[in-house]
Amino acid sequence: MTFIDLDRFKAVNDGLGHDIGDLLLQEVAHRIQERLRSMDTVARMGGDEFVVLMEDFDTAGDCASLADTLIREIAQPMALRGHTVEVGASMGIAFFPEDGSEALELMKRADMAMYAAKAAGRNTYRFFQKEMLERVNRHLSLEMELRRAVARQEFELHYQPRVDLANGRALSVEALLRWRHPERGLLLPGEFIALAEESGLIVDIGAWVLDEACRQVSDWLARGTTLRVAVNVSARQMGDGDVVERISALTARHAISPALLEIELTESAVMADPETVAVVFSRLRKMGITIAVDDFGTGYSSLAYLRRLPIDVLKIDRSFVMNVDREEEDAQIVKTILALGQSLKLSVVAEGIETRPQAELLRSVGCNIVQGYHFSRPLPPAQLEEWLRGHTVGDLGLAQG
Ligand code: C2E
Ligand code: MG
Ligand code: MG
């Protein structure tokens, strides 16, 4: 059984209209039928999905070469009412009875293999493999655990200081999410944020993060420490119509000034929907919240947008900082971002500083606000407080001058 899903069909359907989309599906069906034997079955499962059922196939190799042929055929340009249209196809193949003994089971596995083909870059095919099932199951159980984690309050925030090299002081910190998993220990965002985004759980988790960050700011205030906290938000949260009201309600509830809150959104999330983001940013900024563009330099910013966006801070991505003291090109990029920041009147922060030479180079080119393991790893609140007490000018691992 072969599961076929077209690549880029939605773009054609949305761009050229449903009439052309229908013609395209007919043409694809025709091309598939042309290559099958009369005993084979092809069905459209809905949308842009087709299933081919073939009995009496000699070898997996035959199956693979048929898939190759179908992919090539489908990829040929089509002339549809004066438009030349091209789509691709991703295919997943599953065998009876090895991969499944019932139609539905077989179809699910062919579908799973199709997703693997899509993940492998589209316009290709994959055979179903047991490991795919394991991966999907792992994914599902992680998602269930993640769902529970919100309710069971297994999350915590660690804080990484942002240091001003001019005076060695830390005036703000970045809140970074950690998951205290009951069996697997402390998990970093890299292990669960993507899944949280995919499943929509990020909305609840993000709400918890904002609440906890505000609570922490207010707790520090009560104990005489004024620190601004930068919170990472995801694109999904920005798209949630109430985000501004929620944040405003939180700062009110915890009785903190919005000036003590900073919102970080990655450059790629900003550029994915600059209109919506601009509206939300300007409302947040009117409240007095600082706005930062994270991972800057990786997201293909349009300078036209950047100029008009209500933002305060650019955070230079770690990938440019990593070799800044060794690669002239990276140093040039950092200088360019600094110049850009200066002309747009934004402050520039470099993240991911791990060594003294990196810090020294950054300071020499005028990038004074830095963050990285060289100064401190992200720390639980109590340890951060200790760090803040112990660090003043001169002991940040930098020569003074
Ligand atoms: P980010 O916002 O760019 O955060 C910086 C990441 O770099 C953090 O990883 C931090 O621990 C790490 N880092 C800091 N200094 C250094 C250094 O000197 N060397 C190296 N190698 N790494 C350094 P972390 O905590 O694993 O977070 C990864 C990403 O997950 C963050 O990147 C952010 O995009 C996302 N994230 C973290 N917390 C949240 C959250 O509460 N909500 C959302 N939506 N995303 C979050
Ligand atoms: Mg960040
Ligand atoms: Mg970053």
Side-chain angles (χ1 to χ4, degrees), residues 174 264 294-295 315 317-318 351:
E174 178 175 8
E264 292 191 7
D294 207 349
D295 303 350
K315 293 191 78 177
D317 191 66
R318 189 167 71 86
E351 62 181 356

Side-chain angles (χ1 to χ4, degrees), residues 114-134:
M114 184 278 291
Y115 271 102
K118 281 222 192 269
R122 298 161 188 261
N123 248 319
T124 185
Y125 64 88
R126 285 289 180 271
F127 290 108
F128 171 78
Q129 282 165 331
K130 292 256 179 322
E131 296 79 69
M132 292 175 185
L133 200 61
E134 281 154 26

Side-chain angles (χ1 to χ4, degrees), residues 329-342:
E329 247 173 55
D330 289 339
Q332 281 305 334
I333 290 174
V334 169
K335 282 188 215 166
T336 306
I337 298 177
L338 280 168
L340 183 69
Q342 210 156 40

Side-chain angles (χ1 to χ4, degrees), residues 119-165:
R122 298 161 188 261
N123 248 319
T124 185
Y125 64 88
R126 285 289 180 271
F127 290 108
F128 171 78
Q129 282 165 331
K130 292 256 179 322
E131 296 79 69
M132 292 175 185
L133 200 61
E134 281 154 26
R135 197 170 322 131
V136 167
N137 284 341
R138 257 206 313 277
H139 212 76
L140 279 178
S141 70
L142 189 67
E143 189 181 325
M144 260 163 49
E145 288 173 349
L146 199 54
R147 217 173 274 283
R148 278 201 306 253
V150 182
R152 294 186 185 174
Q153 308 199 339
E154 289 169 2
F155 293 112
E156 48 190 78
L157 292 182
H158 288 189
Y159 298 87
Q160 185 178 42
R162 201 185 269 178
V163 176
D164 185 346
L165 293 177

Side-chain angles (χ1 to χ4, degrees), residues 7-164:
D7 303 325
R8 293 185 308 277
F9 173 73
K10 192 174 158 10
V12 174
N13 211 30
D14 292 349
L16 299 176
H18 295 212
D19 292 353
I20 303 281
D22 289 347
L23 289 175
L24 187 152
L25 290 173
Q26 285 169 21
E27 177 60 23
V28 169
H30 177 70
R31 289 181 187 187
I32 296 173
Q33 268 167 331
E34 286 275 277
R35 292 289 161 172
L36 298 184
R37 304 162 302 179
S38 57
M39 60 190 291
D40 300 329
T41 309
V42 56
R44 179 172 159 234
M45 300 308 290
D48 58 351
E49 296 171 345
F50 295 85
V51 164
V52 175
L53 193 66
M54 291 166 298
E55 288 178 61
D56 286 334
F57 240 85
D58 285 343
T59 64
D62 290 344
C63 227
S65 70
L66 177 72
D68 265 332
T69 308
L70 289 178
I71 287 168
R72 220 174 24 243
E73 288 291 315
I74 293 172
Q76 297 299 320
M78 309 178 191
L80 305 173
R81 278 211 200 122
H83 298 281
T84 305
V85 179
E86 286 179 50
V87 291
S90 299
M91 306 189 182
I93 303 168
F95 292 99
F96 172 86
E98 304 91 291
D99 297 334
S101 53
E102 286 167 38
L104 194 62
E105 191 182 31
L106 208 53
M107 207 138 79
K108 273 192 191 153
R109 297 191 170 178
D111 185 34
M112 225 175 257
M114 184 278 291
Y115 271 102
K118 281 222 192 269
R122 298 161 188 261
N123 248 319
T124 185
Y125 64 88
R126 285 289 180 271
F127 290 108
F128 171 78
Q129 282 165 331
K130 292 256 179 322
E131 296 79 69
M132 292 175 185
L133 200 61
E134 281 154 26
R135 197 170 322 131
V136 167
N137 284 341
R138 257 206 313 277
H139 212 76
L140 279 178
S141 70
L142 189 67
E143 189 181 325
M144 260 163 49
E145 288 173 349
L146 199 54
R147 217 173 274 283
R148 278 201 306 253
V150 182
R152 294 186 185 174
Q153 308 199 339
E154 289 169 2
F155 293 112
E156 48 190 78
L157 292 182
H158 288 189
Y159 298 87
Q160 185 178 42
R162 201 185 269 178
V163 176
D164 185 346

Side-chain angles (χ1 to χ4, degrees), residues 320-381:
F320 304 114
V321 171
M322 232 154 53
N323 299 313
V324 73
D325 53 324
R326 280 169 295 171
E327 299 279 344
E328 182 50 30
E329 247 173 55
D330 289 339
Q332 281 305 334
I333 290 174
V334 169
K335 282 188 215 166
T336 306
I337 298 177
L338 280 168
L340 183 69
Q342 210 156 40
S343 69
L344 296 177
K345 302 195 171 56
L346 307 173
S347 75
V348 174
V349 177
E351 62 181 356
I353 288 88
E354 294 184 350
T355 67
R356 174 194 287 246
Q358 287 168 353
E360 277 168 356
L361 187 126
L362 287 166
R363 183 155 71 170
S364 77
V365 298
C367 185
N368 280 327
I369 310 180
V370 291
Q371 203 182 317
Y373 294 169
H374 179 60
F375 307 101
S376 167
R377 292 190 171 253
L379 301 169

